[in-house]
Amino acid sequence: MKVDSNGNPPSYKAGDRVYVLPLKMQATVIEQRLHYDYPDSFWGNLRLRYDDGVEGESNSWQCARVVI
């Protein structure tokens, strides 16, 4: 499993349900991307599949985990 430069795993995992605040809709996480700002790395954008089947990308800070 990948970790960021602080040793943290991704905060969102594939299959997690999130609410995308700017779009006011839910989506399923495909993956969270590891970003690099040399020499550091951090967990950032989420690749998402929206409920209508369209795939897109949102900033992780714009999403809230949906608790079932």
Side-chain angles (χ1 to χ4, degrees), residues 16-59:
D16 285 350
R17 294 287 292 166
V18 295
Y19 183 75
V20 184
L21 299 164
L23 301 177
K24 297 182 173 81
M25 63 189 310
Q26 292 188 23
T28 302
V29 175
I30 297 172
E31 72 173 336
Q32 186 169 18
R33 300 192 190 272
L34 187 60
H35 295 277
Y36 298 91
D37 187 9
Y38 186 79
D40 299 318
S41 62
F42 59 94
W43 293 104
N45 293 353
L46 300 174
R47 198 167 121 222
L48 302 170
R49 179 173 295 113
Y50 300 99
D51 291 344
D52 61 2
V54 174
E55 290 187 11
E57 193 162 316
S58 288
N59 294 313

